[in-house]
Amino acid sequence: MISLTIVSLALIRLSPPGGDTFTGLCVYSSPSFSILYNGSQTVAVGKSLEVGRVYTVHGRLRRTNRGLWMDVSSFETSLPDFPLESIEGAYWTEGSPYLLTPDRVYLATPINASKGELVLVRGLGYGSKFYPLEVHRRGFSASPKNGFPFVVEGVVMSIGRYISIWNESEEFKVLKLRGVEVSPGQRIRVAGIVKVRDYIYLYPSEPKDIALLGYSKLKPLWNSSIGDIVEAKCLVLDSGSTLKLNCTDLRLYGFKARVGDVVHIRALRRKSSLLCLNCSVVHPREKLPNELCEYSPGNFAKISGTVTWVKRYRNGFGLANVTDGNCWVLLKLPKSLGVSVASGENVTAYGFFTTYREKPAFEIQSGEDLCSGISC
């Protein structure tokens, strides 16, 4: 027992005669005592100190049945005079701060680094935690790595359980947290843990991991790319769950209009479509001029005139001759449209000029594109 006591005391740097001195990292503190640790030895001191700081304490060291104890006469913060351990990893917080190495190394205190940042931390491990004393920041990872944090900026493309964002080169899926409100076209900055599956998924741990940066750039439609907001005035050529427009090959989602309406669109450019952000009809199709006498194969037009005769074939296909003055055109009436007209009716139709057996004709895409009588 005497020998063990001598060895233990030999590990403590002695002060000048009249007292003992010990330098260690505070790893626990209460109102009545604290615990200091230097990587090899633990000493309890009768002072309330700050966890995470290095102290040099002076006093009388004695051994108790619970370990070494020092009755402190004075103390001061100091630099460590003992070896430090080093850990490299990515900094993250999810309730408690930790490093991903890829294993989780929990930190006793937060460090001066951004979430997702790569760091080298020097300090001491004690119990189940690592106590940081020095932090060397290494910046953010240049590419996503499965199981590690990644920070990306991009444009919100769609919203569901996951927020789809585009960062000018690829698409990311970000878990939508409660309390996070974003909308298509917004630019956001996301920090999250990477899971690579069919897409690259990011899992933020709290709402503040998703920061709003404003809206994407407004570009002309002809000079736009994925993630840009575009603005244009276009004619609707086909309607349904999406709109086909005469100003682009991209279908427009999220807005309803009729064939022949002129619309003003402000929309988000996506991979193969447009998403309406703010759209309106600026010139309803009823205001289009009557172009029955302006026959031009392949062009969209509105025609108005009087039905002079109607013919229906056995297979259900029908033809109606629509006349306006000295001009006429054959209106094609497929059975699938479920519409019919009668001789003497005044009709208006919206569609495309074409031919029927080398004669001028006109075809519509749905029954809604034909009206007769006072309904026109």
Side-chain angles (χ1 to χ4, degrees):
M1 181 63 72
I2 294 173
S3 298
L4 288 173
T5 302
I6 294 173
V7 171
S8 297
L9 291 175
L11 292 172
I12 308 299
R13 179 166 55 87
L14 297 179
S15 64
D20 301 317
T21 298
F22 180 79
T23 298
L25 171 69
C26 180
V27 295
Y28 174 81
S29 181
S30 73
S32 57
F33 75 97
S34 301
I35 294 176
L36 300 182
Y37 177 63
N38 68 358
S40 60
Q41 198 162 29
T42 302
V43 173
V45 298
K47 290 289 182 180
S48 180
L49 304 176
E50 183 179 343
V51 172
R53 284 187 175 274
V54 176
Y55 292 91
T56 295
V57 291
H58 310 279
R60 183 171 298 280
L61 187 68
R62 56 191 174 88
R63 178 170 294 280
T64 71
N65 56 0
R66 293 186 177 183
L68 292 174
W69 173 273
M70 177 177 282
D71 295 310
V72 177
S73 59
S74 65
F75 66 92
E76 67 270 353
T77 59
S78 64
L79 295 175
D81 63 353
F82 44 81
L84 299 180
E85 304 167 32
S86 296
I87 298 179
E88 291 186 78
Y91 182 55
W92 195 250
T93 60
E94 197 167 352
S96 300
Y98 59 87
L99 298 182
L100 279 167
T101 65
D103 294 330
R104 290 189 181 190
V105 177
Y106 284 94
L107 302 176
T109 58
I111 61 175
N112 182 27
S114 299
K115 288 183 72 171
E117 194 170 5
L118 301 175
V119 293
L120 168 65
V121 178
R122 303 186 72 222
L124 290 179
Y126 182 83
S128 61
K129 293 183 178 180
F130 189 84
Y131 291 74
L133 289 175
E134 298 177 11
V135 177
H136 302 273
R137 302 170 71 170
R138 300 289 175 83
F140 295 97
S141 177
S143 59
K145 183 179 179 182
N146 198 37
F148 279 82
F150 188 65
V151 178
V152 64
E153 291 184 14
V155 179
V156 177
M157 307 300 286
S158 63
I159 303 169
R161 182 187 175 195
Y162 291 90
I163 302 169
S164 174
I165 67 172
W166 178 259
N167 81 329
E168 300 181 357
S169 61
E170 59 186 319
E171 188 174 3
F172 292 79
K173 300 287 188 179
V174 180
L175 180 66
K176 187 178 185 300
L177 300 181
R178 183 175 298 177
V180 172
E181 297 297 333
V182 297
S183 58
Q186 281 186 307
R187 291 192 62 83
I188 62 175
R189 182 178 186 271
V190 179
I193 303 296
V194 173
K195 298 293 182 185
V196 179
R197 297 199 290 271
D198 49 339
Y199 289 93
I200 300 175
Y201 289 81
L202 292 178
Y203 290 85
S205 63
E206 55 188 338
K208 68 180 182 180
D209 293 339
I210 302 176
L212 305 183
L213 305 177
Y215 278 85
S216 186
K217 296 178 181 178
L218 182 63
K219 293 280 192 72
L221 182 57
W222 59 269
N223 190 33
S224 64
S225 56
I226 299 171
D228 291 334
I229 295 176
V230 300
E231 199 167 34
K233 185 182 288 186
C234 314
L235 177 70
V236 178
L237 301 179
D238 183 25
S239 66
S241 58
T242 64
L243 299 182
K244 180 180 180 181
L245 308 173
N246 71 335
C247 56
T248 177
D249 292 332
L250 302 172
R251 305 284 296 202
L252 177 68
Y253 284 73
F255 184 64
K256 296 292 185 181
R258 302 165 302 171
V259 171
D261 287 339
V262 176
V263 296
H264 178 271
I265 66 168
R266 176 171 285 200
L268 175 65
R269 171 75 185 271
R270 302 193 292 191
K271 285 184 179 180
S272 56
S273 65
L274 298 172
L275 176 65
C276 173
L277 302 178
N278 186 2
C279 305
S280 61
V281 176
V282 294
H283 197 275
R285 66 185 186 176
E286 289 81 3
K287 294 185 178 181
L288 291 174
N290 181 12
E291 296 187 90
L292 191 147
C293 293
E294 306 296 328
Y295 174 76
S296 179
N299 283 356
F300 178 86
K302 166 190 172 182
I303 64 168
S304 295
T306 303
V307 177
T308 57
W309 55 260
V310 180
K311 184 175 182 179
R312 183 69 69 175
Y313 295 90
R314 289 183 179 179
N315 62 4
F317 178 78
L319 285 175
N321 184 293
V322 181
T323 300
D324 179 40
N326 295 324
C327 306
W328 61 270
V329 71
L330 297 177
L331 177 62
K332 300 168 72 173
L333 300 170
K335 182 180 178 181
S336 59
L337 296 182
V339 295
S340 62
V341 296
S343 295
E345 278 188 313
N346 292 319
V347 298
T348 297
Y350 304 90
F352 294 85
F353 285 113
T354 183
T355 60
Y356 180 76
R357 295 182 179 177
E358 299 182 353
K359 295 178 181 179
F362 194 81
E363 62 184 7
I364 59 177
Q365 297 172 339
S366 75
E368 295 179 354
D369 297 334
L370 176 67
C371 63
S372 60
I374 58 173
S375 63
C376 294

